[in-house]
Amino acid sequence: MQKLSRRHVIASLSATTVTLCPAVLNAAVYGWPEGFSDKEPVGQARTLAVSSGEVVDISQLAPGEIAVLSRPSDEDEFAGTAGVQYVGILHRTEAQIAAATGGAEVQDPAYLVVNMVCPHRGAAIGVSDDPARPFACTRTSSRHGSLFDTAGVGVAGASDSSDILSVPGYTLSVGDTVTIALT
Ligand code: FES
């Protein structure tokens, strides 16, 4: 079993909400690195590579933080991310749970687990610094720039409320420790 350590987790999301206009979305807004690709998520500290069925201990993931797992996939959905399935796990705060309406189906209200692939044109989704809209498309031009809320629902850019981040197959266990396995 792999164990998620602090180095796999992004820095805690900012406590203050940043209002982002799709027209001004760019790497600087998120602190994304120069020359980032739209084929893989950006914003997270590291990506933890896993295999199907492998159990990962995510107990270290604090409320408000996101971790990203990856595994190879030949499904069409992940063609835009170079045949890699990236999965984001948001440990939602109470405020993020309260703000989440509908959207991606969850196994536990405290954990939103979604594929990091944009429902608009299949680019990778990155991790933003906005706790209210923690997922952002890596295609940031004026025709793209989708943002997704704490339920995985599109709220800005090219995506609207009919665009919801898809959910991977996974098994989540929440107890003294919290574990997840992609199925
Ligand atoms: S591909 Fe994500 S907004 Fe267009």
Side-chain angles (χ1 to χ4, degrees):
M1 178 167 70
Q2 293 199 68
K3 189 167 183 176
L4 193 77
S5 70
R6 298 299 309 164
R7 66 195 174 94
H8 293 107
V9 178
I10 64 162
S12 297
L13 293 174
S14 162
T16 54
T17 299
V18 180
T19 301
L20 301 175
C21 166
V24 300
L25 287 177
N26 55 51
V29 171
Y30 299 116
W32 286 349
E34 196 74 24
F36 64 88
S37 163
D38 66 4
K39 298 189 182 315
E40 59 184 283
V42 292
Q44 77 279 16
R46 288 178 183 235
T47 300
L48 184 64
V50 300
S51 52
S52 296
E54 182 177 9
V55 177
V56 180
D57 184 336
I58 58 169
S59 306
Q60 291 288 310
L61 194 64
E65 294 180 333
I66 294 172
V68 179
L69 310 182
S70 71
R71 65 175 172 181
S73 173
D74 56 9
E75 292 182 33
D76 291 347
E77 183 178 4
F78 308 113
T81 51
V84 179
Q85 180 183 17
Y86 295 98
V87 174
I89 306 165
L90 167 62
H91 186 178
R92 297 191 286 204
T93 63
E94 290 298 326
Q96 287 175 322
I97 293 171
T101 305
E105 193 170 331
V106 295
Q107 294 182 15
D108 185 292
Y111 292 90
L112 175 69
V113 182
V114 290
N115 288 313
M116 305 283 279
V117 60
C118 186
H120 180 227
R121 291 285 185 271
I125 293 294
V127 176
S128 88
D129 58 1
D130 181 349
R133 298 177 288 186
F135 297 103
C137 186
T138 55
R139 254 177 231 171
T140 56
S141 67
S142 58
R143 293 188 178 180
H144 295 275
S146 292
L147 298 173
F148 299 87
D149 68 11
T150 61
V153 177
V155 290
S159 294
D160 59 22
S161 59
S162 65
D163 294 319
I164 300 171
L165 296 177
S166 64
V167 176
Y170 70 96
T171 302
L172 181 73
S173 173
V174 180
D176 290 340
T177 60
V178 182
T179 62
I180 190 169
L182 302 183
T183 58

